[in-house]
Amino acid sequence: MAQTPQRGGGGNDRNRRDNRNAPVDGPDSDIVEKLVHINRVAATVKGGRRFSFAALMVVGDGKGRVGFGHGKAREVPEAIRKATEEAKKTMIKVPLRENRTLHHDGSGRWGAGKIMMRAAPPGTGVIAGGPMRAVLETLGVQDVVGKSTGSSNPYNMIRATFEALKVQSSPRQVASKRGKKVADLMGRRNDGASAPEAAPEAQEA
């Protein structure tokens, strides 16, 4: 005789509830999300003011990919969700030296925001503050010196930081463009920001 299905919460329902917050394997499973700034904005309409929230998010995988996005909604969680989705769609790839610092110094500017970044030797840490620090940490940089010399507006600082990261290039990329070997370029380097790496790079080239 067929058994009558039981009503109410069964074992399968409990398993589904327990697995809601479990990590999901996939391209976004190792993404780190950081809330940089959230602001309450108001729009004047016929009936008065309509308030909403604007969120600025930075996401990265800690391995050289990073992106930022902003979203606006009537509720804070929805604004954060929109900003996170936009940030994941606009991620860029930045080459890192020894997977811990930048290959060379750089600067960026966006509007009144101006920033500068310098590669640093091991043990320096992330010497940067505010939005720039959030970008560098989610990118996976462990040793860097950064400074903002312009506006403290988080949107301008984030965009200026990304402008500086977009022009980063590795010795392999430069050697490929110039038709030279990596060892020829690395032999001239004397900035003290890395351990000897000419030999490994030359072997991989």
Side-chain angles (χ1 to χ4, degrees), residues 97 185-194:
R97 191 197 312 180
L185 302 179
M186 299 300 295
R188 306 173 186 175
R189 189 173 218 162
N190 191 24
D191 58 0
S194 69

Side-chain angles (χ1 to χ4, degrees), residues 71-84:
K72 186 167 65 174
R74 299 292 296 273
E75 300 293 338
V76 174
E78 182 65 14
I80 294 177
R81 184 191 65 81
K82 289 182 177 180
T84 303

Side-chain angles (χ1 to χ4, degrees), residues 46-60:
K46 185 176 181 180
R49 286 186 174 183
R50 185 173 59 192
F51 293 96
S52 58
F53 295 91
L56 178 62
M57 293 288 296
V58 173
V59 302

Side-chain angles (χ1 to χ4, degrees), residues 6-180:
Q6 298 179 355
R7 296 183 180 179
N12 292 335
D13 293 335
R14 284 194 297 271
N15 292 336
R16 282 194 293 267
R17 287 196 297 268
D18 294 340
N19 292 332
R20 282 183 304 179
N21 297 326
V24 179
D25 295 334
D28 296 337
S29 60
D30 56 349
I31 295 296
V32 179
E33 304 172 358
K34 283 184 178 289
L35 176 62
V36 176
H37 183 71
I38 190 161
N39 187 34
R40 191 179 76 163
V41 296
T44 303
V45 295
K46 185 176 181 180
R49 286 186 174 183
R50 185 173 59 192
F51 293 96
S52 58
F53 295 91
L56 178 62
M57 293 288 296
V58 173
V59 302
D61 61 357
K63 302 175 183 178
R65 294 177 64 235
V66 67
F68 78 98
H70 56 88
K72 186 167 65 174
R74 299 292 296 273
E75 300 293 338
V76 174
E78 182 65 14
I80 294 177
R81 184 191 65 81
K82 289 182 177 180
T84 303
E85 289 183 354
E86 180 180 338
K88 291 179 180 179
K89 294 178 182 178
T90 60
M91 295 180 72
I92 63 173
K93 180 69 175 178
V94 181
L96 298 179
R97 191 197 312 180
E98 302 171 358
N99 295 322
R100 62 165 189 84
T101 189
L102 304 175
H103 279 283
H104 55 80
D105 301 347
S107 61
R109 179 170 183 173
W110 186 277
K114 293 183 291 183
I115 65 98
M116 58 80 64
M117 295 183 296
R118 285 190 169 185
T124 303
V126 179
I127 303 178
M132 193 193 315
R133 184 183 186 90
V135 174
L136 296 173
E137 287 181 344
T138 54
L139 176 63
V141 177
Q142 302 174 16
D143 303 297
V144 69
V145 178
K147 184 175 180 62
S148 172
T149 59
S151 170
S152 60
N153 182 294
Y155 289 88
N156 286 345
M157 288 183 64
I158 288 287
R159 289 184 169 93
T161 303
F162 271 79
E163 289 299 312
L165 293 175
K166 288 178 181 178
V167 298
Q168 285 285 319
S169 57
S170 66
R172 189 180 307 171
Q173 293 172 338
V174 176
S176 177
K177 291 180 181 179
R178 298 175 59 183
K180 295 180 177 293

